[in-house]
Amino acid sequence: MPRPATGAKRAKSFSSQGSLNAAIKSICDIMRRSNCAGALQYVPELTWILFLRILDEQEEHEAEKAAAVRGEFRPALNAPYRWRDWAKPDGAKRQELESAAIGAFFSFINGELIPHLKKLKTQPNATPRQKVISEIMSGVDRTRIDTERNFKDVLDKVGEISAFNVDPTHVFTLSQVYEGLLLKMGEKGNDGGQFFTPREIIRTIVEVIDPEPGKTVYDPCCGTGGFLAQAYEHIAAKLQKRETTGVDYDVLRHRTFYGREKENLVYPITLANLMLHGIDEPHIWHGNTLTGEALYDGLFEQAPQAFDYILTNPPFGGKEGAEAQQRFDYKTNATQILFLQLIVSSLAKGGKCGVVIDEGSLFRVDQEAFVKTKKRLLETCRLWAVVSLPANVFAGAGAAVKTSILFFEKGRPTEKIWYFDLADMKVGKKQPYTRERMRELGFYDLIKTLGDSERSWTVDFIAKRKAADAEAEKLLATAEPAKARALALKADLSAEKKKTKPDEARVTELAEKLKAAEREVREIENKAQATRDAVYDLKAVNPNAKSNEDTRTPAELLDFIEAKGREVAAALAALRGNMR
């Protein structure tokens, strides 16, 4: 990691993760007493403050590098809007404001600084970085902090934090601490769980998909950017082990990561999170992914139509209106099914996907959209693995929905599906889901070979579908007599009606018999279709699971109860005897 500019004042040194965590906590404590009671209030506020601090430090370093080679450097911010001007205690603008009347500091922050930053994207020839700055500030109209004194205390403590003053053994320390703040947003009771996927789930998916440098990575509902940030760390670690050029890192930081986010609160946090991780150009589209209605698409202008990797956790349980549904082939109000259609269509040929999906979407075959979406997935992609997650893996974020991870590759149909079952894994605060626990269960070894074990098995999807088709054909064959009967009845009914004086009783009788025959045909055809649709029930049902079912007969249970009753009676008699 590069060192700070030589002229910069050396910030406080943090020699351990704990010391940096404590520094961030002390900032949050000030904010909590300053009109930012919960994480959903203080995290967005700290986001833009911390971002401007790190941005200024980064631009100082870039300017120094450019000067060393007599190159040009165009800063995103100029005086007096740089952190060093208005936030540092010895900054010229800050000293000017502190010498002015009471209220001058907030007047500058709310009346000049924030409006200037928000309008950067509209200026002629705005750079990608200036557009990102404006979007990070898009939800900020004024500081939430209640007094100038508290605000300056926050600035001074944030000023002690630097991307360069941490122990070099800590990789991405600052971004990890920031993710700790995002975790606070995702905790139950903070109402931010919808934006947050547990990081160990993200790391599992990224490790299995194993994205390569030079490829595009996309998350159509990226929340706080966890999948994209983790993919960046994964790819960056690969580059560190290889012979690389500046071009490789340039592609990684500028032309690799793409995403979409709907929520106004989360969108700026996403951008800040990705930039703190080292992604200089996060191509995040702000708007409703399903309707296609954009709030701001200026960072997404050069995005490809299809992506090499899709890593995502779509929202489940949502209900979409007609506006969203009309853009999809298979219409349903189920948000997660619309997203699954979008994911399949957005994946490039040969592209790989890891997606979290609710179990209901896997087993439901009672709606045409569910069946046809999964049918398209299996016909256009090789669904090679389904990992059934523990029931409470999302409970910390306030969601108790049972989920699974799907891994698939686009370009050839599914033949066999490998399953891994974690349904019985106990997950809680004292026993969280971790990759280490997965490793102990053999997951990482088994997924390399798609091997069988007590927790894993393979389903031959082609054979399963052929068997279902054969069963459906047998059922349809049983409908032939009813079809023939219906044709004969229809002919008889038509002939009777054409008579000069039709026998009304006869017409009624034939019509009733025709309805019954047609109903019989429909019921058989529906049963045959249900048989075919049943193959798209993709839920993990472990054939090796040990059953806890009580197999005793009613008579045996009654004998057991009677025996226990005698034991209780004997114990009571003994107690009474001891009391005499």
Side-chain angles (χ1 to χ4, degrees), residues 187-246:
E187 286 178 350
K188 189 174 181 179
N190 275 327
D191 197 32
Q194 59 183 310
F195 317 123
F196 194 87
T197 302
R199 286 302 176 260
E200 285 291 83
I201 296 292
I202 289 175
R203 292 182 181 112
T204 296
I205 292 174
V206 171
E207 286 176 359
V208 171
I209 293 296
D210 192 25
E212 287 289 332
K215 304 286 188 178
T216 53
V217 182
Y218 177 55
D219 184 347
C221 39
C222 60
T224 56
F227 278 102
L228 300 178
Q230 188 62 40
Y232 172 84
E233 294 188 15
H234 184 87
I235 298 171
K238 283 189 171 187
L239 288 177
Q240 289 175 359
K241 298 175 183 177
R242 302 178 183 179
E243 290 187 9
T244 56
T245 66

Side-chain angles (χ1 to χ4, degrees), residues 390-451:
N392 294 324
V393 76
F394 286 92
V401 179
K402 179 74 174 66
T403 55
S404 292
I405 306 171
L406 308 186
F407 294 105
F408 55 88
E409 180 179 353
K410 191 170 183 178
R412 55 188 174 122
T414 300
E415 295 181 359
K416 294 182 178 180
I417 306 171
W418 181 80
Y419 286 84
F420 191 86
D421 183 22
L422 293 168
D424 65 340
M425 178 190 280
K426 303 300 181 185
V427 172
K429 283 190 174 181
K430 293 183 178 179
Q431 283 187 304
Y433 170 93
T434 64
R435 287 170 296 154
E436 185 57 37
R437 293 181 70 186
M438 293 279 281
R439 192 169 284 108
E440 290 171 357
L441 294 173
F443 171 76
Y444 287 103
D445 291 328
L446 288 164
I447 199 167
K448 292 175 184 176
T449 61
L450 304 184

